Amino acid sequence: MDEVQEQQSQPLDLDNENEIVAESAAFVHGEPPQDANAPPKADSEVEILHEKVTKQIIKEGRGQKPSKYSTCFLHYRAWTESTQHKFEDTWNEQRPIELVLGKEKKEMAGLAIGLSSMTSGEHALLHVGWEFGYGEEGSFSFPNVPPRADIIYEVELIGFDETKEGKTRGDMTVEERIGAADRRKMDGNTFFKEEKLEEAMQQYSMAITYMNDDFMFQLFGKYRDMALAVKNPCHLNMAACLIKLNRYEEAIVQCSIVLSEDENNVKALFRRGKARAELGQTDAAREDFLKAQKFAPEDKAIARELRLIAEHDKAVYQKQREIYKGIFGPRPEPKPKRFNRLVLFWQWLLSLFYGLFRRGGHKAD
């Protein structure tokens, strides 16, 4: 009950420390993702990082490069160069992975060399020789990589944490992980206020990485509440950024994650409804808005969106009426019957003969 009252007391069109709002801000168009089934094309200059590792930049990053023992947060796709067979794709799960430079697995050596040359936010294409990949024998489990296979990586370095001792998330205490995630969330909020949406999402993604499913599964009581107090706002803030970038399907996913933990979360319902409305899913959007309004009946933003849906439905109905009217046309008016002149003549002739016959009958009498 306290949580609902708190949500009711904070209208959706106001900022607070944990959650940002995107409903009233100007839209920014993001670039559509490339085809994920084939390696992307890169026109930039080929940079030789190692005898067996080269890099081409797809999108420039910013800031410093990670050093040894930095904990890197990244997304990547991997293909065998000879067959173009994709064998890994971390974007599918919409959660970045973690790699500590200097402590990576042997098959990740080429990827680590590429990461050490990248800056936060950089998107690059790596070509890695088999010697720095899965080696002479390959891998016949998961992932399935043939022997002596050169590899192509599409990599995005979301960000990294500098840790001299190479301390991973698994080595942190619960308080340390929640604290690290909270710092990332606050950095993301700063970027958002500066309209740096991609940078903001990178910070939120890194914060969420500290709160992964395995970690959350182990938490109970106050520690779980503490973690959710950081994790859920990150998902909601990601959704706000994605709505501004017109990436509505992804925004729906982020809101649904929050609603799986808190089915009555007003902001998650509102933002999912807004994303659904933008996709033309008006029935589902109305359902989200009505549920949100149940817990925030005085909120003007929710009322406005419901009014817009009602106006949209009315406009669609009027348009359909015009379309059907054009197809079937107006109901035809009954036409007056036209009498055949020949029929009229025969009727007149018969009546004439009938009259003469009767007159002749009277004379005979």
Side-chain angles (χ1 to χ4, degrees), residues 112-333:
I113 290 173
L115 287 171
S116 64
S117 72
M118 298 172 68
T119 56
S120 294
E122 184 175 326
H123 197 166
L125 192 66
L126 303 177
H127 289 259
V128 177
W130 61 266
E131 297 90 344
F132 288 84
Y134 287 83
E136 191 166 6
E137 296 182 357
S139 172
F140 292 96
S141 57
F142 179 82
N144 187 4
V145 183
R148 301 170 68 93
D150 296 336
I151 299 172
I152 300 174
Y153 286 106
E154 178 190 359
V155 189
E156 179 187 6
L157 178 59
I158 296 169
F160 60 89
D161 283 334
E162 289 284 7
T163 51
K164 295 180 180 179
E165 69 279 7
K167 195 171 187 179
T168 65
R169 291 173 299 174
D171 297 327
M172 292 180 178
T173 65
V174 172
E175 291 86 350
E176 286 175 333
R177 286 182 72 156
I178 295 174
D182 190 54
R183 288 191 294 275
R184 290 293 181 183
K185 180 198 70 181
M186 298 306 294
D187 290 343
N189 289 358
T190 300
F191 281 123
F192 182 88
K193 291 173 184 177
E194 297 172 357
E195 290 292 328
K196 298 177 179 178
L197 302 182
E198 294 290 347
E199 289 88 343
M201 288 197 297
Q202 289 166 5
Q203 296 300 316
Y204 298 138
S205 293
M206 290 175 65
I208 292 168
T209 302
Y210 284 101
M211 308 282 108
N212 62 16
D213 292 341
D214 292 338
F215 176 71
M216 295 299 296
F217 184 74
Q218 302 174 45
L219 300 183
F220 298 94
K222 69 172 185 178
Y223 287 113
R224 184 172 181 82
D225 292 339
M226 288 169 59
L228 287 175
V230 176
K231 181 175 182 287
N232 282 351
C234 288
H235 286 297
L236 291 172
N237 295 352
M238 283 279 286
C241 293
L242 291 165
I243 288 173
K244 294 190 66 163
L245 292 169
N246 295 352
R247 291 158 61 179
Y248 303 118
E249 292 90 349
E250 295 172 73
I252 290 171
V253 170
Q254 296 295 326
C255 294
S256 297
I257 291 172
V258 176
L259 291 168
S260 68
E261 292 282 355
D262 179 10
E263 64 179 356
N264 298 326
N265 188 290
V266 173
K267 289 189 177 180
L269 289 167
F270 180 84
R271 290 178 186 165
R272 189 173 71 174
K274 191 164 182 67
R276 284 174 164 175
E278 293 288 350
L279 292 172
Q281 302 170 5
T282 52
D283 289 340
R286 185 187 297 105
E287 183 179 343
D288 281 339
F289 289 137
L290 288 173
K291 188 172 181 180
Q293 193 176 53
K294 179 181 176 181
F295 297 100
E298 303 300 324
D299 192 273
K300 295 180 180 179
I302 298 173
R304 182 179 66 245
E305 294 298 330
L306 284 169
R307 186 172 62 254
L308 289 173
I309 287 180
E311 292 172 356
H312 172 268
D313 289 347
K314 184 178 179 181
V316 170
Y317 173 73
Q318 293 293 342
K319 188 174 182 180
Q320 288 176 342
R321 283 192 62 185
E322 292 297 323
I323 291 173
Y324 292 139
K325 184 178 179 181
I327 293 174
F328 299 108
R331 186 173 180 176
E333 295 291 335

Side-chain angles (χ1 to χ4, degrees), residues 61-75:
R62 69 189 189 288
Q64 302 296 316
K65 298 176 181 179
S67 57
K68 191 173 182 179
Y69 299 133
S70 292
T71 301
C72 298
F73 301 92
L74 63 141
H75 275 303

